[in-house]
Amino acid sequence: MDLTCKRASLEDLELLTEVRIEVLLAANGLPEDTDMDEVREQTRRYYQRALPEGVHIAYLALDGDRVAGAGGVSFFQVMPTYHNPSGEKAYIMNMYTRPAYRRKGIAYRTLDLLVREAKNRGITAISLEATAMGRPLYEKYGFVRMNDEMELPVP
């Protein structure tokens, strides 16, 4: 196994899109034949806009030309607060390692690259949503559970 990590570009658009669909199917426990056409198209549009603008950075972990894992970080602005005077935040997402490559440090390495990207921008507020499988990795890295955040699902 010859693993490398590369920062993705628009040249990787189709690969990024298909990995995103794979992530969503796995994370939501959906059957492989679920209709993801609209999500696929919106994902392409997102990457086409966000990668060149620098509001999203993605990394691919590759075994030769095969994807072993991936991860991304989106950057956004909120109002400044006492604990985050710049108001700049980062949200780590799309963390995924294909089953055959798990437990080899790929997710940790990808996470570290994403966190470094955020830190290099001076961002001090980095969050993510953790699955039960991913939670030990994030805790090992130093992420802590949030107690006060809430979400309103809007139908």
Side-chain angles (χ1 to χ4, degrees), residues 14-47:
E14 291 308 313
L15 194 54
L16 286 168
T17 300
E18 290 313 308
V19 169
R20 175 68 176 157
I21 298 303
E22 188 174 336
V23 169
L24 293 173
L25 291 173
N28 292 289
L30 299 171
E32 287 186 32
D33 64 349
T34 301
D35 180 6
M36 298 294 280
D37 290 345
E38 179 65 19
V39 175
R40 184 177 280 108
E41 182 55 34
Q42 293 300 327
T43 297
R44 272 191 205 96
R45 288 182 190 167
Y46 174 81
Y47 281 130

Side-chain angles (χ1 to χ4, degrees), residues 74-139:
S74 292
F75 302 100
F76 61 100
Q77 180 87 32
V78 298
M79 289 186 70
T81 66
Y82 175 77
H83 294 291
N84 184 7
S86 73
E88 294 182 26
K89 292 185 137 194
Y91 187 80
I92 293 179
M93 59 194 324
N94 214 42
M95 290 291 297
Y96 184 67
T97 304
R98 286 189 166 149
Y101 294 95
R102 292 183 181 156
R103 317 274 329 144
K104 299 181 186 317
I106 294 168
Y108 192 93
R109 184 173 171 191
T110 304
L111 178 63
D112 189 55
L113 288 166
L114 298 170
V115 169
R116 287 173 191 244
E117 291 280 0
K119 285 181 177 179
N120 287 342
R121 291 180 180 220
I123 293 173
T124 58
I126 305 170
S127 60
L128 53 76
E129 185 177 336
T131 62
M133 187 187 318
R135 187 167 281 112
L137 164 74
Y138 303 130
E139 289 174 346

